[in-house]
Amino acid sequence: MIDWDDVRYFLAVARGGSVRAAAKSLGVNHATVLRRIAQLEERLGAQMFEKLPSGYRLTAAGEEVLELAEQMEGSSYQLETRVFGRDQSVRGLLRVTLAPTLATHLLMPDFADFARLHPDIEMDILSSGELANLTNREADVAIRVVYDRKTLPLNLHGLKGPELFGSVYMSRDRLAAWRAGAPDRLRWIVISSHGIPDWAREVPTTGVPFRTTDGEAQIVAVRQGLGMTTLPCFIGDADPLLARVPGTDLHMYGTLWLLTQGETRKTKRVRLFTEFVSRRLAVYAPLLAGLSASRD
């Protein structure tokens, strides 16, 4: 009988195109991947890959195995989630994926409250810009900003939350100087990979952009009076050092959704968590919509 673990290593090489990429994705060393592939090839009596300067390419036999291996993977995930869905204990691991800013500037106090209410639930908060795959059980719950519900996979169950808006912000000291007619140039502060969104270009600037690689550095830079930037209202309006740039409008980023998958959403700890966070998000609706800020 074929070892499912060997098949996992085969799929990782086929998808990554190299042993190095497979080893990194699986969290193992190079030799382990080679050994697993050799075991599978010996058991099947066929070579799965052709080694080229550019990487590993599937042989004709490997192409045939790939389709069946993906079917095995799907059956494995289905079996795991179905058994997981029967687990009704209020203990065990709960993995939640969301954007870093939502975790650090909005929901971490609520996660702490939930953890205190349910001390036997082991919480794993995956605050990253990477999209975790719920179908593959990389996370149990995803909190996502979604502009169009139709873009979400049909197999995900969604609990709709409030709408999320953003605006253009600068430090209060910089705004006061600007209003007083200070001659210094006004520049954009942007995350390098994002640039200046089209909806925010209504404010004229004369200075060259100031770029950062992440959202936290962007926020610190605008507090330092380096220029102006776009931020979600739940960050900009809640920060006493920041103010909205006069003449700029609110912009809708999308709607917050609590997403779960298949049988996973039936577990008691997942249901308790999604219901808890949904109630907290409802309380935050005015802040998320940009309706709770005082107007200067």
Side-chain angles (χ1 to χ4, degrees):
M1 184 176 293
I2 294 174
D3 188 334
W4 161 237
D5 273 345
D6 291 344
V7 177
R8 285 198 308 117
Y9 282 81
F10 164 78
L11 285 170
V13 175
R15 290 164 178 168
S18 71
V19 171
R20 183 183 299 244
K24 184 177 179 180
S25 68
L26 294 169
V28 299
N29 60 43
H30 189 274
T32 301
V33 177
L34 289 174
R35 178 169 55 81
R36 289 287 193 167
I37 296 300
Q39 286 178 186
L40 182 63
E41 289 180 333
E42 182 180 359
R43 186 169 294 276
L44 293 176
Q47 184 178 348
M48 298 293 102
F49 297 99
E50 181 182 2
K51 188 176 180 181
L52 303 173
S54 58
Y56 277 59
R57 185 173 68 184
L58 287 166
T59 62
E63 291 283 2
E64 292 183 19
V65 170
L66 178 62
E67 182 179 354
L68 296 173
E70 288 177 336
Q71 292 176 13
M72 288 179 67
E73 181 184 47
S75 298
S76 174
Y77 288 139
Q78 186 177 12
L79 174 63
E80 186 178 356
T81 55
R82 185 160 297 179
V83 173
F84 182 79
R86 296 182 183 277
D87 178 9
Q88 296 302 306
S89 65
V90 192
R91 63 172 61 244
L93 179 62
L94 177 67
R95 290 164 296 187
V96 182
T97 177
L98 73 167
T101 51
L102 283 171
T104 57
H105 292 274
L106 186 70
L107 290 173
M108 194 56 73
D110 304 295
F111 295 162
D113 287 344
F114 183 82
R116 283 188 282 267
L117 284 171
H118 305 286
D120 290 329
I121 294 180
E122 179 186 354
M123 295 193 67
D124 191 355
I125 305 300
L126 311 172
S127 55
S128 167
E130 300 295 326
L131 294 178
N133 190 322
L134 297 185
T135 304
N136 292 353
R137 291 285 315 285
E138 293 175 1
D140 304 311
V141 181
I143 303 174
R144 293 275 181 249
V145 180
V146 180
Y147 189 77
D148 184 356
R149 175 68 173 93
K150 295 178 182 177
T151 62
L152 290 173
L154 295 177
N155 65 318
L156 297 185
H157 175 77
L159 188 59
K160 187 178 181 181
E163 293 178 338
L164 174 62
F165 286 79
S167 190
V168 183
Y169 294 87
M170 64 169 55
S171 73
R172 289 187 179 275
D173 289 345
R174 186 65 186 268
L175 177 59
W178 190 34
R179 284 173 166 168
D184 59 332
R185 296 188 298 176
L186 189 63
R187 68 170 75 190
W188 276 105
I189 301 168
V190 296
I191 297 177
S192 302
S193 59
H194 297 169
I196 305 167
D198 291 338
W199 63 268
R201 294 179 182 272
E202 60 200 55
V203 183
T205 58
T206 54
V208 296
F210 183 91
R211 295 184 176 87
T212 68
T213 57
D214 63 87
E216 289 306 306
Q218 173 197 21
I219 294 166
V220 174
V222 74
R223 285 175 182 159
Q224 292 297 316
L226 285 172
M228 61 185 182
T229 194
T230 57
L231 291 172
C233 293
F234 72 84
I235 297 176
D237 290 346
D239 193 319
L241 298 179
L242 303 183
R244 291 187 198 171
V245 174
T248 56
D249 297 324
L250 292 175
H251 171 76
M252 183 179 172
Y253 288 123
T255 303
L256 280 171
W257 285 82
L258 286 164
L259 303 170
T260 53
Q261 189 273 333
E263 300 293 326
T264 303
R265 68 185 175 90
K266 299 178 183 178
T267 65
K268 192 169 185 178
R269 59 184 176 274
V270 170
R271 286 190 290 106
L272 285 172
F273 178 80
T274 53
E275 291 167 4
F276 179 88
V277 173
S278 179
R279 291 193 296 269
R280 293 295 176 94
L281 287 175
V283 174
Y284 295 141
L287 175 64
L288 294 165
L291 302 177
S292 61
S294 60
R295 300 292 178 260
D296 293 328

